[in-house]
Amino acid sequence: LSPITMGYGEPGTGKSMLISAMATLLDEHCRALGIPFLFWPMPDTVVSTFQGGSAERMMSWMKALRDPTKIIYAPIDDAEN
């Protein structure tokens, strides 16, 4: 699997549905192989009104991505928001 992919398109073209389908597919494959799987979407609350708060929240979210014992799928949906 490619470590990074990007979807682009008008609203309603299935980008978020593709994220969900991929998460389901990965979960099923990991279960069949006995490998732990983590679906870790980026939350909408990363941006903070406090200086440094956004970076702190982003670092906290990214910490889970360093776990080598799991297959981790971490989509960033609606990044422009």
Side-chain angles (χ1 to χ4, degrees), residues 49-64:
T49 57
F50 298 106
Q51 185 175 1
S54 297
E56 189 176 290
R57 290 178 183 178
M58 188 65 173
M59 293 303 292
S60 176
W61 177 74
M62 292 182 77
K63 189 174 185 178

Side-chain angles (χ1 to χ4, degrees), residues 2-71:
S2 173
I4 298 174
T5 59
M6 186 178 106
Y8 176 80
E10 296 293 322
T13 57
K15 299 176 298 294
S16 296
M17 188 178 289
L18 182 61
I19 287 172
S20 296
M22 182 61 78
T24 301
L25 182 68
L26 286 169
D27 184 48
E28 289 172 355
H29 281 303
C30 286
R31 285 178 197 241
L33 296 171
I35 300 170
F37 173 70
L38 174 63
F39 179 61
W40 192 247
M42 186 168 137
D44 294 335
T45 58
V46 169
V47 177
S48 172
T49 57
F50 298 106
Q51 185 175 1
S54 297
E56 189 176 290
R57 290 178 183 178
M58 188 65 173
M59 293 303 292
S60 176
W61 177 74
M62 292 182 77
K63 189 174 185 178
L65 304 179
R66 296 182 184 148
D67 186 350
T69 65
K70 299 175 185 163
I71 299 294

